[in-house]
Amino acid sequence: MKNKIKQVFPLIGNTPLVPLNFPGVKLYAKLEMFNLTGSTKDRPALMILEEGIKSGKINEDTVVVESSSGNFARSLAVLCRMLGIKFIAVIDRSTNPHHEALLRALCHKVYKVMERDETGGCLLNRIKKVKELIVEHPNSFWPNQYENSLNARAHYMGTGLEICDGLDRLDYFFAGVSSGGSITGNSMRIKERFPKCKIIAVDAVGSVIFSNFPRTRYLPGIGSSLRPKILESAIIDEVVHVDETESVNACREMLNKYGLFLGGSSGSVFAAIKKYFKTHESEPEQVASFLCADRGGMYIDNVYNDDWLNTLPLAQAETKLN
C-alpha cells in the first residue's frame, strides 16, 4: 500500500499560478483544478491517507468514513479506489447530481442526509451519521477534515509554499473557507514569507464560521454549519461575505473574461476580490493572489444553470445572470 501511494505523489500539487488582467492590482490565480481529481482537496486527502497508512491506522481491511458534500469526498473516493481501500461517503441534499453519481460509482457505500440541522445546513447531521457508521465498523478511519491538523499542513507544505515560491511579492491573499484547512495552511506559510500580506477569508452569507446569523445555503464548497477547530491556527486579517448570486455571476464572468471554467467557491472568492477593492485603495504594483479550489464540471447543474438560480429564494435571486 505504501508503494501505491507513492505513485500518486506526481499527480497532485505544482498547480499553475497564472496572472489575470484585473484593475488596480497584479492578480494571480492559483488553479487547483489541475490536481488529480480536479480540486485542492486532493492535497489533504493524500497527506491524511499517507499518514494513516504510515501510523498503521489504515490497512487493507480498513473502512474510511467521511462527511463531505463535495470535493473532499471525491478526492478520498479516487485515492481509496487506487489504494484498494473501502470508502464510505456521507453526503447531503446539496450535493449535485453529477457528483453524487460519481461517488456512487467509486465508493463502497454512499449515505445521503436530507434533513437540515438547526443552522439551515446539513453538516451537523452528516457528522452525526459518520459517528454512527464508525461504531458500526470497528476497523474504520475518520479523516475528520474539520479537526485534522493535516488538512492545514497539506496546504502549508504544498499550496502555500508553491504560491510563495512563484511570487517575489504578495500584498493580498484571498481564499474561501469551508473546512478551514486551506485558509489556515496557506495563511501560516504566506505570513512567514510575506509578513505584511493581508489574508482575506471569504465566507458565504448564512455560514456560521464568521457570523452568528445562520441561513440556508444552496451552493456547496464554501461556508459551514460549524466553525472548524482548524481555524484556531489561521492568521486572518479580514473577512468578506458573498451570497450565491454574487458567486454565480463571478463564475460566469471568469469564464467569459478569462476562459476559466471554475467551481462555485472560486466565483465566491473572485466576487469578494471585486467587492474588497471597491472599498479599499490599492496600488498598481501591489500583488494579490487567490485560490481557485476546483473546476466547473461538477457545477453544471447549479452555478452554470440559469434554471437553478431561479429556484433560489427571491431575495437571493435579484441579480440577473450575465
Side-chain angles (χ1 to χ4, degrees):
M1 192 180 298
K2 292 180 180 179
N3 290 331
K4 287 183 179 179
I5 203 163
K6 287 181 180 179
Q7 296 174 359
V8 182
F9 292 161
L11 305 176
I12 297 174
N14 297 310
T15 55
L17 183 64
V18 300
L20 303 181
N21 183 19
F22 187 85
V25 296
K26 296 177 181 178
L27 182 63
Y28 291 83
K30 182 64 169 170
L31 301 180
E32 289 290 273
M33 64 181 176
F34 287 93
N35 283 307
L36 174 63
T37 75
S39 88
T40 195
K41 294 291 187 178
D42 286 348
R43 297 177 186 265
L46 177 61
M47 181 171 283
I48 290 171
L49 291 176
E50 179 191 14
E51 292 299 318
I53 292 169
K54 285 182 179 179
S55 66
K57 294 179 181 179
I58 297 177
N59 56 47
E60 289 82 357
D61 299 318
T62 300
V63 178
V64 177
V65 184
E66 181 60 301
S67 156
S68 169
S69 62
N71 291 320
F72 196 54
R74 184 170 71 251
S75 297
L76 288 172
V78 171
L79 291 174
C80 285
R81 175 70 65 151
M82 295 175 72
L83 296 171
I85 306 171
K86 291 181 179 178
F87 172 55
I88 297 177
V90 180
I91 63 175
D92 63 44
R93 58 191 296 162
S94 69
T95 304
N96 71 62
H98 283 84
H99 184 65
E100 181 177 342
L102 178 62
L103 290 177
R104 293 192 181 279
L106 291 171
C107 298
H108 176 61
K109 288 183 180 179
V110 175
Y111 291 89
K112 187 173 184 178
V113 173
M114 297 299 293
E115 184 178 353
R116 297 190 184 277
D117 54 47
E118 59 267 27
T119 69
C122 297
L123 175 59
L124 302 183
N125 288 334
R126 289 204 323 256
I127 291 177
K128 181 180 178 181
K129 183 62 180 178
V130 167
K131 292 179 177 179
E132 293 174 359
L133 291 169
I134 289 174
V135 174
E136 295 175 14
H137 298 82
N139 185 13
S140 60
F141 177 81
W142 180 18
N144 196 1
Q145 61 172 321
Y146 288 88
E147 297 187 14
N148 195 327
S149 62
L150 292 175
N151 186 358
R153 183 163 179 77
H155 294 287
Y156 176 84
M157 298 296 294
T159 330
L161 180 60
E162 292 168 19
I163 291 171
C164 289
D165 287 347
L167 298 170
D168 295 325
R169 172 177 178 170
L170 188 57
D171 301 285
Y172 304 92
F173 176 73
F174 295 79
V177 182
S178 180
S179 70
S182 175
I183 190 75
T184 300
N186 281 299
S187 67
M188 293 171 66
R189 175 66 79 175
I190 290 170
K191 283 290 191 178
E192 285 181 358
R193 184 76 62 88
F194 305 104
K196 294 183 179 180
C197 178
K198 290 188 177 181
I199 307 296
I200 317 297
V202 181
D203 196 13
V205 173
S207 166
V208 303
I209 299 176
F210 301 104
S211 171
N212 294 321
F213 302 97
R215 188 184 78 181
T216 299
R217 292 172 287 109
Y218 301 89
L219 191 65
I222 189 169
S224 177
S225 299
L226 56 78
R227 181 177 172 85
K229 290 186 178 180
I230 296 176
L231 280 179
E232 294 174 1
S233 301
I235 309 171
I236 297 172
D237 295 294
E238 298 182 55
V239 179
V240 178
H241 284 87
V242 296
D243 64 29
E244 284 91 350
T245 301
E246 291 174 312
S247 301
V248 169
N249 280 325
C251 280
R252 299 292 184 89
E253 181 178 350
M254 292 184 74
L255 178 60
N256 294 333
K257 188 173 182 179
Y258 303 113
L260 294 174
F261 183 45
L262 301 170
S265 68
S266 301
S268 299
V269 178
F270 188 64
I273 292 171
K274 295 177 65 179
K275 182 182 291 188
Y276 183 86
F277 286 116
K278 280 184 178 179
T279 57
H280 294 74
E281 291 186 3
S282 61
E283 300 173 5
E285 68 272 14
Q286 289 185 316
V287 177
S289 178
F290 70 111
L291 192 71
C292 296
D294 61 356
R295 64 171 68 107
M298 290 296 174
Y299 299 82
I300 288 292
D301 292 319
N302 43 43
V303 170
Y304 297 95
N305 184 347
D306 291 351
D307 293 335
W308 175 80
L309 187 69
N310 292 332
T311 66
L312 298 180
L314 292 178
Q316 299 178 52
E318 294 176 351
T319 303
K320 184 71 174 178
L321 280 177
N322 296 322

